[in-house]
Amino acid sequence: RAKQTGKGVACFFDADMDQAVRARRQMENDLRHAVARRQLFLEYQPLVDVRDNRTIGYEALLRWRHPDRGLVGPNVFVPIAEESGSIIQIGEWVLEEACSEAVRWNEPLPVSVNISPVQFLLPNLFDRIAGILQRTGLEPRRLELEITEAVLMHNREDVLAMLVRLRLLGVRIVMDDFGTGHSSLSNLQTFPFDKLKIDCSFTAALDRDPAAQAIIRAIIALGHSLNLPVVTEGVETERQKQIIINEGCLQIQGFLSGRPGLAPSAAGALSPANGTLLRAEA
Ligand code: C2E
Ligand code: MG
Ligand code: MG
Ligand code: MG
């Protein structure tokens, strides 16, 4: 399509750029309607206690079934929704959906929900969460909000005040992806967390990089000395599991113990005997 002139390359480049911009704008626009068109859904991944392999909670993970693009993962569309603001409406849907799902479980396990920094900085977040808990009837102690270090970079006083209010309500706060952001150890002193999650990049690096094990060891020791339970994410192999058990971590989340899957309340998904998720493989 580009003309065979000196300007051709530039024209071609512009056309590509134009297309990329248009595709992105289309996605932004589609995301604005995704909730109303019922294209979003949640999968649930178990957190497991390594001592007895029992499921001790689930993390809700957002998926988008796009009519043309098929299944789109949150790493692709959440950043776009954050930039365009639709994450606010989407995040509210996620909270409401996850809480109404959790009240249907036959065991009162906690449900974890990821909260975007954009969503977290809304002044009325507290009222929205309190309202959702009231409407759905979920006990506040069963809701865990996962935030990343990115949240802690803005308005630290406001963030701290919000975390304190949420905890007084009974909601738990989890530090997600610990060690990957602009972390400062003083964050753990300043902000009242209930749990630390070690990012899956450290777990993956266990296979090739001895430093990863040293970092995991240090995070586990740090968490435990602050009386915080520590979860290792992204555990895919028996070997990784053994290493993190040897380092003293008691909770894991990863493909080895369970992939994200069907809502636990879906028929037959949650076996009442041991709470492990049984799911049909895709
Ligand atoms: P995250 O909060 O760290 O969630 C864990 C991610 O690790 C999930 O990716 C999960 O599927 C993946 N994972 C779990 N076990 C394994 C494993 O053994 N190996 C590997 N390679 N990966 C594993 P997913 O579902 O693609 O989500 C990616 C990120 O998108 C999440 O990271 C979270 O930050 C964000 N996200 C997901 N749902 C929501 C949501 O409802 N709202 C917001 N704001 N962000 C969300
Ligand atoms: Mg998470
Ligand atoms: Mg997260
Ligand atoms: Mg994480």
Side-chain angles (χ1 to χ4, degrees), residues 43-44 58 101 104-106 261-271 277:
E43 287 195 319
Y44 295 84
Y58 290 94
E101 163 63 24
R104 295 196 285 262
W105 298 349
N106 28 19
L262 288 179
S265 72
L270 188 67
S271 122
L277 185 72

Side-chain angles (χ1 to χ4, degrees), residues 45 59 62-63 74-75 94 114 176-177 233-234 236 254-255 260:
Q45 185 177 32
E59 178 173 9
L62 183 59
R63 275 89 182 89
N75 285 330
V94 170
N114 290 281
D176 200 1
D177 308 337
E233 287 194 290
E236 292 184 355
F255 295 168

